[in-house]
Amino acid sequence: MKIDRQTFFAAYEAAFGAITKPERKAGFDKLLGAAESDPHITDIRWLAYMLATVKHECADRWLPIEEFSKGKGLKYGVPVTVTDAGGNAFTNVYYGRGYVQLTWDWNYKAMGEKLGNRLLYQPELALDPVVAYQIMSLGMRNGSFTGKGLSKYINDEQCDYVNARRIINGTDKAQTIAGYAARLEAILRASVIAATDGVPVIPPQPATPAPVAGTGERFTVTASALNVRGGPDTSNAAVGTVREGTVVTAVAEQNGWRQITAPVAGWVSGQYLQPVPTAQFTVTAESLNVRSGPDKANAAIDTVSKGTVVTAVAEQNGWREITAPVAGWVSAQYLQAAVPAHA
């Protein structure tokens, strides 16, 4: 398949926010290039879920990374000594690396054997984008990590982005990643312009509206019980309900309906949604950590520099959740209300 980069990145940034660091955008571009050249990825939904996994596992960096804690306090986070055929000994810690955060010595060994490299002895090879992609594609397709592969959850009969998380790590963050995948599928469908030589034409799928300006927004449900339907009109069956006060994230819009991904995936009538108020703040710290949750116990996933204007959508115990330029939580004590510029 061939992906139009301009269309893809414009839609991605409309849905998820700007990619502000050039090396991350370059890494994302390289990742898309690897997928374009992969003859085994013929279903656009597989690629959507692979990208969603990278978005989560690599904390929006779009580069193969090392686990932040390097396995500290975890069973796989202890040194292991291995010996190669030449009798050379290597002592490594097999913490998470790469696009899918490969862990455990036996996984490194198995992947190294399948790819024909020295991954067991040199685990840092998993940080090479080419090797990292090979590990992800092979492992997610073949079920190498957990015994479950992409075809189990995404096939001609179903597209279960929630349970597809079992390919990598049980149900940890399954709903969040499913939401990413739904949005990325829509973005990819709007961006794929051709099949390439050697790659079968993507199987036809039900049309999915592309993200438009204003999607990726958060809304509060105003109806006492709002039906979530299988498609964007009342002729589609209800697949669940969301209660008044529930905050949902819309990933697409069609004819007055919004597509949501959690707590129930489906379509809801936009007339019963009210935008969650946002506010803009200027960062006052020289370098402010963006964390995965509202306290210091959560890992830092990024930083924003002094003078950066951030968009906040929620507040909790002295922390603010921001959505742009990066998504996460920051300490409110280092934020100052931004003053709108005069016309």
Side-chain angles (χ1 to χ4, degrees):
M1 69 184 74
K2 182 68 175 175
I3 300 166
D4 182 275
R5 298 297 199 276
Q6 184 174 355
T7 301
F8 180 89
F9 283 117
Y12 180 89
E13 293 186 334
F16 293 105
I19 304 173
T20 58
K21 297 188 177 181
E23 66 272 19
R24 296 182 183 183
K25 197 163 191 176
F28 206 161
D29 180 69
K30 182 173 288 189
L31 179 56
L32 293 174
E36 287 176 323
S37 302
D38 188 344
H40 303 290
I41 303 302
T42 62
D43 189 323
I44 208 166
R45 301 167 302 171
W46 284 21
L47 179 55
Y49 196 78
M50 290 165 68
L51 294 178
T53 297
V54 176
K55 179 175 173 62
H56 171 71
E57 296 291 347
C58 295
D60 284 306
R61 282 162 169 74
W62 297 109
L63 296 164
I65 65 170
E66 293 183 308
E67 181 181 342
F68 296 135
S69 66
K70 292 183 167 56
K72 184 178 180 180
L74 299 172
K75 290 182 179 180
Y76 59 74
V78 297
V80 175
T81 299
V82 294
T83 305
D84 67 11
N88 302 300
F90 300 84
T91 300
N92 300 303
V93 179
Y94 294 95
Y95 53 75
R97 295 177 178 86
Y99 287 135
V100 294
Q101 295 297 282
L102 189 69
T103 56
W104 297 104
D105 56 321
W106 58 80
N107 281 327
Y108 280 83
K109 181 177 186 293
M111 274 295 162
E113 290 174 349
K114 289 174 182 177
L115 297 176
N117 62 29
R118 291 177 58 82
L119 191 62
L120 177 64
Y121 313 110
Q122 298 171 265
E124 65 274 10
L125 289 173
L127 300 174
D128 178 278
V130 173
V131 177
Y133 181 84
Q134 291 172 338
I135 291 170
M136 174 172 66
S137 177
L138 180 64
M140 293 185 72
R141 287 186 290 106
N142 292 358
S144 304
F145 308 128
T146 64
K148 300 175 178 66
L150 284 163
S151 61
K152 179 177 178 63
Y153 302 104
I154 304 169
N155 50 52
D156 291 341
E157 303 297 325
Q158 65 172 343
C159 181
D160 186 352
Y161 283 144
V162 175
N163 281 301
R165 180 60 174 159
R166 298 179 189 276
I167 297 167
I168 300 290
N169 191 10
T171 57
D172 174 62
K173 302 295 184 183
Q175 289 283 357
T176 297
I177 299 167
Y180 295 158
R183 280 187 266 182
L184 283 160
E185 180 188 342
I187 293 166
L188 285 166
R189 289 192 184 284
S191 307
V192 171
I193 54 178
T196 54
D197 291 342
V199 178
V201 176
I202 300 165
Q205 303 291 338
T208 304
V212 297
T215 63
E217 297 178 25
R218 287 154 56 104
F219 296 86
T220 302
V221 174
T222 59
S224 58
L226 178 59
N227 282 324
V228 182
R229 298 186 180 275
D233 59 56
T234 54
S235 66
N236 291 279
V239 296
T241 59
V242 283
R243 298 292 179 184
E244 184 175 7
T246 301
V247 175
V248 298
T249 300
V251 298
E253 182 178 21
Q254 184 173 322
N255 301 328
W257 290 71
R258 296 264 185 175
Q259 184 182 17
I260 65 172
T261 57
V264 181
W267 290 83
V268 295
S269 174
Q271 67 179 305
Y272 301 110
L273 300 178
Q274 181 177 343
V276 172
T278 62
Q280 291 193 313
F281 295 87
T282 302
V283 175
T284 60
E286 290 297 327
S287 181
L288 180 59
N289 283 325
V290 181
R291 298 185 180 274
S292 58
D295 60 54
K296 288 184 178 179
N298 291 281
I301 57 176
D302 211 327
T303 60
V304 284
S305 57
K306 187 174 183 177
T308 300
V309 176
V310 299
T311 300
V313 296
E315 183 176 12
Q316 184 176 325
N317 300 327
W319 291 73
R320 286 193 181 270
E321 183 182 9
I322 64 172
T323 57
V326 293
W329 290 82
V330 296
S331 175
Q333 66 178 307
Y334 301 110
L335 299 179
Q336 182 178 26
V339 179
H342 294 292

